[in-house]
Amino acid sequence: MENRKNYQKELEKIIKGLNGEKKKVFLHSCCAPCSSYCMEYLRQFFSVTVFYYNPNIMQKEEYEKRVKEQKRLIEEYNKSKEADTIQFLEGEYSPSCFLSAVKGLETCKEGGARCFSCFRLRLLETAKQAKENGMDYFTTTLTISPLKNAEKINEIGEEIAKETGIAFLPSDFKKNNGYLRSIALSKQYGLYRQNYCGCDFSKPQKESENEG
């Protein structure tokens, strides 16, 4: 049986190799709740810039609600003088880009090929912006979710790193109770926790599961 990579261990090795030097990481965030633990963890070792790029959130009202929560959480974190200020950059909101990326995959089951194309879309833009803004690494909060395929997300990140020439920071943020910590932080800050990923294709499946 093939041994799978432990991406959290890979991240810890990189951090250890920094020897206390704070490199700049560009953190793609899917939402405030998922970013809560990721920011708390990464800012101990890196200068963090959060990049909010989620054209998969097809309803504008929903998008605006989520990005507002992201900004609010960062403001709360930045009140602490014990760590570096977290920077924020919002990407272009263009659902048409998402629809183009997943064309022909609309009926795929959640967690399959459509999601992988969505991951690639968001991570590629993250890498491009990270390079343009002089970052040392790019990464994503997506691996904190037990419902997301962390192995596939990391594979896509590594492929994009080769394409773009900027290092990808591997992760499996759900490890070491990261997901549980994100739930606790969400409660602490009263964060809005959405019940579906963002696209209109995933919403019916999630609503059906909730009814079941």
Side-chain angles (χ1 to χ4, degrees):
M1 184 177 176
E2 184 181 350
N3 290 326
R4 291 186 175 183
K5 274 188 182 180
N6 185 323
Y7 290 102
Q8 186 58 32
K9 292 291 185 186
E10 293 290 316
L11 172 56
E12 290 168 6
K13 284 179 188 176
I14 291 171
I15 289 171
K16 188 175 180 180
L18 296 176
N19 295 316
E21 181 185 359
K22 278 202 168 182
K23 297 284 190 178
K24 293 181 286 187
V25 65
F26 206 55
L27 173 66
H28 164 261
S29 175
C30 57
C31 63
C34 286
S35 74
S36 60
Y37 169 73
C38 302
M39 292 192 299
E40 180 184 69
Y41 177 80
L42 289 173
R43 74 188 303 205
Q44 300 174 78
F45 313 106
F46 298 90
S47 293
V48 179
T49 296
V50 170
F51 181 52
Y52 196 85
Y53 177 67
N54 298 294
N56 58 303
I57 304 173
M58 295 170 67
Q59 301 301 319
K60 189 174 182 181
E61 184 179 356
E62 180 71 15
Y63 174 86
E64 290 175 346
K65 190 173 184 178
R66 295 189 196 187
V67 77
K68 184 178 179 181
E69 282 293 83
Q70 182 69 75
K71 291 176 181 178
R72 181 173 73 84
L73 180 60
I74 291 173
E75 287 174 2
E76 288 295 323
Y77 274 32
N78 284 342
K79 290 177 182 177
S80 170
K81 305 301 181 184
E82 298 175 2
D84 291 348
T85 298
I86 297 170
Q87 304 297 326
F88 176 79
L89 180 65
E90 184 176 357
E92 181 183 2
Y93 177 55
S94 177
S96 61
C97 289
F98 166 73
L99 290 171
S100 178
V102 301
K103 190 174 182 180
L105 303 172
E106 294 88 348
T107 60
C108 287
K109 189 175 180 180
E110 184 75 357
R114 185 185 68 244
C115 294
F116 298 161
S117 292
C118 180
F119 297 158
R120 167 166 270 278
L121 169 69
R122 290 187 279 173
L123 284 173
L124 181 58
E125 181 63 16
T126 301
K128 288 177 178 177
Q129 291 292 329
K131 190 170 184 178
E132 186 175 313
N133 285 276
M135 300 291 154
D136 298 299
Y137 297 96
F138 75 98
T139 193
T140 180
T141 63
L142 288 167
T143 64
I144 200 168
S145 172
L147 302 176
K148 299 285 191 296
N149 186 331
E151 186 173 14
K152 188 66 178 179
I153 292 165
N154 279 281
E155 286 176 2
I156 292 170
E158 289 168 353
E159 289 170 5
I160 290 172
K162 291 176 182 176
E163 293 172 19
T164 58
I166 181 165
F168 176 70
L169 196 66
S171 73
D172 195 347
F173 287 119
K174 74 178 72 65
K175 300 287 188 181
N176 300 333
N177 292 319
Y179 177 65
L180 294 177
R181 177 61 178 159
S182 74
I183 293 175
L185 287 165
S186 294
K187 289 179 180 177
Q188 179 181 335
Y189 291 100
L191 298 177
Y192 164 62
R193 291 181 68 87
Q194 63 278 357
N195 61 2
Y196 72 108
C197 192
C199 76
D200 287 355
F201 311 121
S202 67
K203 195 173 183 180
Q205 181 179 326
K206 181 55 66 175
E207 288 174 343
S208 176
E209 290 171 357
N210 290 338
E211 289 172 2

